[in-house]
Amino acid sequence: MKKRWIVMGLAVAFAAVVLAMNMGRNDVVTVEGVTLAPRQVEQTVSCMGVVEAADGTAVFAPMSCQIGRVSVKAGQRVNKGDVLATIDLEATRQSLIDPSQQVVLAGMRDAFAAPIDGIVVSVNALAGETLEAGTPCAVIAGDNDVRVRIGIREKDLKQLKKGMQVRVKGEGFLKEVYEGELTEISSAALTEAENGTVVEGVVRLRDGEVDSSLRLGLTAKASVITSVTEDGFVIPYEAVLSDEQGDYVYVCDNDTVCLKRVSPVYQAPDGVVLTDSEWHGVTVILCPDEVTEGQTVKITEEKQ
């Protein structure tokens, strides 16, 4: 009888040890984390804009003429030498009042040709109609004449100045990013229904950046680079919490969750930016709502 109680006692003790071990294992939570490393970080201001043409190249006739056929329309891309419109030379000759213009007419070609590669901004020629002298048949914006006009919000205006580098994106664009420069900031403000008070700015794209996908009128998103931090540490926004004392994150120190205060220098598109070297190598927990201070965790680690 006594022996049976001893066996039962040992069994209970063993079960208690196993239960304690399992409970210990369940207390260890696996969470995602990121180990911070210094990297170059850009501070940007985002603006919405539209692709437009700057002052283009106008194509004129030396005298009034009758238009035959019009081959292009606004927004169309053309190559140098492409026919824009034809001239009905016979109808033009019959409409002449001044005989001296016969000499000019004799030297005229029977068509308007594009003088450059570019995008047709406007077309004034109409088939069967007279194109008056001094009125361009069409205006063509060369590749270097395409720009992005942006709306700068009032609260962002003091951060921007001419000469800042700009990255331009658009859903309809061929490339993911186009490089440019903020070349103009208007001296007057406009009031837009959706964006409130804005000041217009102009972004000139770098040589070689313009391609056929940059159609006039397309919407663009411009990110103006206002500053660059060479050795910054970026903490993703989802890792940052706040209380009455300020911002903080949970970090993993020797498998234990610890609270660490943060003092961001500024905000970047992908998180808050710190510059203190003490953050080098610190592992920040990305799901702070799933842990508590002092808890033992196992990190599924991501490196920046």
Side-chain angles (χ1 to χ4, degrees):
M1 187 70 173
K2 183 176 180 181
K3 183 177 180 181
R4 187 175 64 180
W5 281 108
I6 292 174
V7 172
M8 290 180 63
L10 290 173
V12 171
F14 178 77
V17 170
V18 172
L19 180 62
M21 291 176 64
N22 288 334
M23 290 181 63
R25 289 195 190 99
N26 291 337
D27 285 341
V28 178
V29 178
T30 300
V31 294
E32 291 185 63
V34 58
T35 299
L36 303 183
R39 62 183 175 93
Q40 186 183 82
V41 185
E42 296 175 345
Q43 186 175 12
T44 62
V45 168
S46 295
C47 305
M48 296 305 297
V50 64
V51 179
E52 67 172 25
D55 297 333
T57 300
V59 183
F60 293 95
M63 56 180 284
S64 296
C65 59
Q66 297 292 315
I67 299 299
R69 176 174 52 86
V70 178
S71 304
V72 297
K73 57 184 178 181
Q76 181 176 335
R77 176 166 285 274
V78 294
N79 296 319
K80 182 178 180 180
D82 286 352
V83 173
L84 306 176
T86 61
I87 300 173
D88 188 334
L89 295 177
E90 183 58 31
T92 301
R93 181 178 295 108
Q94 294 177 8
S95 67
L96 290 180
I97 298 176
D98 185 354
S100 66
Q101 290 186 321
Q102 292 284 354
V103 177
V104 178
L105 180 62
M108 284 180 57
R109 296 184 177 182
D110 62 356
F112 293 95
I116 58 173
D117 297 341
I119 297 173
V120 178
V121 177
S122 62
V123 179
N124 298 308
L126 296 173
E129 300 290 335
T130 299
L131 182 69
E132 299 294 339
T135 300
C137 167
V139 177
I140 301 174
D143 286 344
N144 291 332
D145 293 326
V146 176
R147 63 189 184 182
V148 177
R149 183 171 294 277
I150 61 174
I152 303 169
R153 293 169 294 185
E154 191 173 3
K155 68 182 184 67
D156 295 327
L157 188 59
K158 62 184 179 181
Q159 302 181 56
L160 305 186
K161 61 182 180 180
K162 291 190 292 185
M164 287 183 166
Q165 299 304 300
V166 185
R167 292 196 175 96
V168 176
K169 298 182 178 181
E171 292 184 0
F173 299 164
L174 184 62
K175 295 196 301 184
E176 182 178 353
V177 178
Y178 295 78
E179 302 288 342
E181 180 181 329
L182 181 62
T183 58
E184 298 179 32
I185 299 177
S186 174
S187 58
L190 302 173
T191 301
E192 296 183 352
E194 295 182 358
N195 301 321
T197 301
V198 298
V199 172
E200 288 190 329
V202 172
V203 177
R204 289 274 189 176
L205 299 178
R206 292 179 183 171
D207 292 344
E209 287 288 273
V210 179
D211 58 43
S212 60
S213 69
L214 294 173
R215 296 177 173 86
L216 304 185
L218 286 182
T219 301
K221 181 179 179 181
S223 298
V224 185
I225 302 171
T226 57
S227 68
V228 177
T229 301
E230 292 299 333
D231 294 310
F233 302 91
V234 180
I235 298 180
Y237 287 113
E238 65 266 27
V240 182
L241 300 175
S242 299
D243 59 18
E244 63 278 1
Q245 298 180 44
D247 297 332
Y248 67 94
V249 295
Y250 284 128
V251 302
C252 180
D253 185 7
N254 293 323
D255 298 330
T256 302
V257 176
C258 301
L259 185 149
K260 190 173 179 65
R261 294 287 171 183
V262 296
S263 298
V265 178
Y266 59 82
Q267 296 182 348
D270 52 347
V272 297
V273 180
L274 313 174
T275 56
D276 195 327
S277 60
E278 71 172 13
W279 288 93
H280 192 177
V282 173
T283 299
V284 176
I285 295 172
L286 294 177
C287 42
D289 294 332
E290 299 180 10
V291 299
T292 57
E293 191 173 5
Q295 187 175 11
T296 301
V297 292
K298 180 181 179 181
I299 298 292
T300 301
E301 191 172 323
E302 300 177 2
K303 290 189 176 182
Q304 289 190 330

